[in-house]
Amino acid sequence: MKRVALFPGSFDPFTKGHEDIVLRGLNLFDEIIIAIGYNSTKSNRYFKIELMVEKINDAFKAYPSITVQTYAELTAEFAKKNGARFLLRGLRNTTDFEYENSISQINKHLNADLESVFLITSPQFASISSSIIREVHKYEGQVSDFLPYSLTSASSV
Ligand code: ADP
């Protein structure tokens, strides 16, 4: 049985920190689905979801076992539908831990077959957060060092 993991998140934007978790996850899983969660009725993203799908696909084009999907439902349900028995998550600090701890308990309750697997962030990426990148990009600062693909300053919504 293939070991399929879902790597869910907003990825607004997808960063080198996320990339690191996915590539390290490949040592554990046969397939990784990067799942960009969105709410179709109330989308308040900074970077368009279509743009992120395109950029992530591009960043992993050499890895056929890594795919990208978007979803607007419970993560636990989406995992089940896609045959993913694992949820891959990254942990940067205790704030991430508090949040991930409660969300993984809920996900386990919703889908008992789903196991959450956490990787501790590589130190060189620990300070990268999507929210800081959005802020820097908004004021036309240089964000390319933090992203595994290139972006123009006109790339936001
Ligand atoms: P969410 O919208 O669920 O907070 P994000 O897109 O911000 O999702 O992040 C998805 C996952 O990636 C989460 O597990 C988060 O902890 C992890 N993550 C975010 N930034 C980093 C980073 N710099 N290094 C490693 N993991 C990260």
Side-chain angles (χ1 to χ4, degrees):
M1 204 177 191
K2 270 193 179 171
R3 299 169 80 85
V4 181
L6 200 71
F7 182 47
S10 326
F11 306 121
D12 189 19
F14 190 90
T15 70
K16 280 189 177 173
H18 296 130
E19 177 194 42
D20 178 61
I21 298 294
V22 173
L23 292 178
R24 287 164 57 203
L26 270 193
N27 295 321
L28 304 170
F29 305 110
D30 300 310
E31 280 176 29
I32 297 177
I33 303 167
I34 299 167
I36 313 179
Y38 75 103
N39 182 331
S40 51
T41 50
K42 189 174 129 267
S43 177
N44 48 8
R45 293 182 63 88
Y46 179 79
F47 291 103
K48 285 202 176 94
I49 203 154
E50 297 80 8
L51 175 80
M52 231 9 82
V53 169
E54 181 193 315
K55 295 292 180 184
I56 297 170
N57 269 323
D58 213 41
F60 293 116
K61 60 174 181 277
Y63 299 88
S65 50
I66 300 171
T67 54
V68 187
Q69 292 201 45
T70 60
Y71 72 108
E73 62 186 302
L74 281 174
T75 302
E77 265 307 303
F78 189 69
K80 195 186 283 180
K81 276 186 196 162
N82 286 276
R85 289 180 295 136
F86 304 94
L87 279 187
L88 176 62
R89 301 290 286 174
L91 289 179
R92 285 166 294 187
N93 47 42
T94 51
T95 312
D96 275 355
F97 173 78
E98 295 293 340
Y99 175 71
E100 296 293 339
N101 186 25
S102 49
I103 204 158
S104 79
Q105 310 286 359
I106 302 285
N107 282 327
K108 187 86 185 158
H109 181 84
L110 295 169
N111 174 353
D113 300 327
L114 195 57
E115 208 58 79
S116 295
V117 175
F118 303 96
L119 294 183
I120 299 289
T121 311
S122 301
Q124 67 271 37
F125 304 122
S127 60
I128 301 179
S129 79
S130 297
S131 57
I132 292 176
I133 291 175
R134 288 197 296 274
E135 200 67 13
V136 174
H137 187 268
K138 195 159 98 185
Y139 296 106
E140 294 176 19
Q142 185 65 255
V143 293
S144 56
D145 285 350
F146 309 115
L147 306 176
Y149 47 81
S150 60
L151 270 186
T152 63
S153 55
S155 298
S156 66
V157 170

